[in-house]
Amino acid sequence: MDLKDKQSTKKQSPYPILIIGGYGNFGKKITATLAKEANIQVIIAGRNKGKADALAKQLYTTSINPIKTLALNINSADLKDQLSNSTAKLVIHTSGPFQAQGYNVAEACIDAGIHYIDLADGRFFVEGFESLNDQAQQQSVIAITGASSVPGLSSAVIEHYKSRFKVLQELNYGIAPGNQTERGEATVKAILSYSGLNFKRWQNNRWQDVRGWQNTHRHKFPSPIGSRWLANCDIPDLTLFQQHYPEFKSIRFYAGLELSFLHLGLWSLSYLARFKFIKNLARYSRPLTLMSTWVQQLGSDVGGMYMELKGLNHKNEPQRIIWNLIAESGDGPYIPTIASVILAKKIAKGQLSETGAQACVGLFTLEEFTKEVENWDIHQQVLEND
């Protein structure tokens, strides 16, 4: 039985979607977006029911259907029963960081016959997720990991432009948020977890060791972003894309902080981990996140993402396409949430027929992303052979 068979096309009650961490940095944006859909009912879940209730009250005037709230701890022994009793048909898991998590939430959803999406950016978490595939297929549910900027949006960009190439040879890309945009400790902790430490990256047709938050360099984004610092980041794409697009000889991903003293400060700290003065910087995520908020009024609310594809066109000539995404008016933090929103709407409408567990690679198009962000101050620019 596929997903379409499980969902009636008849007029029915709003589709219940439970968002774990639904009042958090990314979760509240997903909550606010899905609450505007007439065919969806949102359930905000998390350890702090007071925060869930407060957000539900805040969104009262913009939500189409009443928003429910639920106290939920993902480490509870009875998590499966709590999810089953919630009436949810889909769970969106936003409570990172995922680097240190297991699959207990996904497994509880699958066992309960509930579809599952997460925003995981932990490389090994996403890599190993297909181990749940047989279980998900037996339960006739779909479980998707990595529904975020990477690998969700990044794979959509590759799929959109790959037909322009006879051969794809190199991928360089990066993300640079504006300093004034909201930040969450989970994101900071994820970056700190590998800063200064080795990870594998596909370069020159072989796996090579690189250091997290090193190889720092300047990249020029289109106006109004301008030049930003970028440094090595470890993400699931580095493995997934080498498997899905084996023609790539090199795949490099970077991220950066807008303020030079913050970016270079973290670069300096990464050497403490590199030379083993500190085992792992992630243990200092809370104070470092707090310190970064002291200067949050500096810089701008403008951020962006770029993807540079290199290879040969169909005339065997060098081809280079640079796709840029520019977010203004503080709308950048919505970008990591869009993949989960698109997929949630598809599932609610019965538009995803496959079941099983998989990473979010090629599950939505760049056109679908473009349509979803049209109400925000987010736009794209494409340069070719420039």
Side-chain angles (χ1 to χ4, degrees), residues 279-290:
K279 185 176 181 181
N280 195 302
L281 290 170
R283 62 186 296 185
Y284 303 101
S285 61
R286 181 161 296 179
L288 288 173
T289 303
L290 175 62

Side-chain angles (χ1 to χ4, degrees), residues 265-285:
L266 180 53
W267 169 70
S268 299
L269 287 175
S270 72
Y271 281 91
L272 297 178
R274 176 171 182 169
F275 294 116
K276 305 186 188 307
F277 292 109
I278 293 176
K279 185 176 181 181
N280 195 302
L281 290 170
R283 62 186 296 185
Y284 303 101
S285 61

Side-chain angles (χ1 to χ4, degrees), residues 247-301:
E247 63 267 36
F248 278 128
K249 296 179 179 179
S250 297
I251 301 170
R252 306 180 186 92
F253 178 79
Y254 309 100
L257 304 176
E258 180 182 9
L259 300 183
S260 294
F261 69 88
L262 287 181
H263 183 98
L264 298 176
L266 180 53
W267 169 70
S268 299
L269 287 175
S270 72
Y271 281 91
L272 297 178
R274 176 171 182 169
F275 294 116
K276 305 186 188 307
F277 292 109
I278 293 176
K279 185 176 181 181
N280 195 302
L281 290 170
R283 62 186 296 185
Y284 303 101
S285 61
R286 181 161 296 179
L288 288 173
T289 303
L290 175 62
M291 291 169 63
S292 73
T293 64
W294 297 345
V295 293
Q296 195 165 351
Q297 297 308 309
L298 302 178
S300 72
D301 62 0

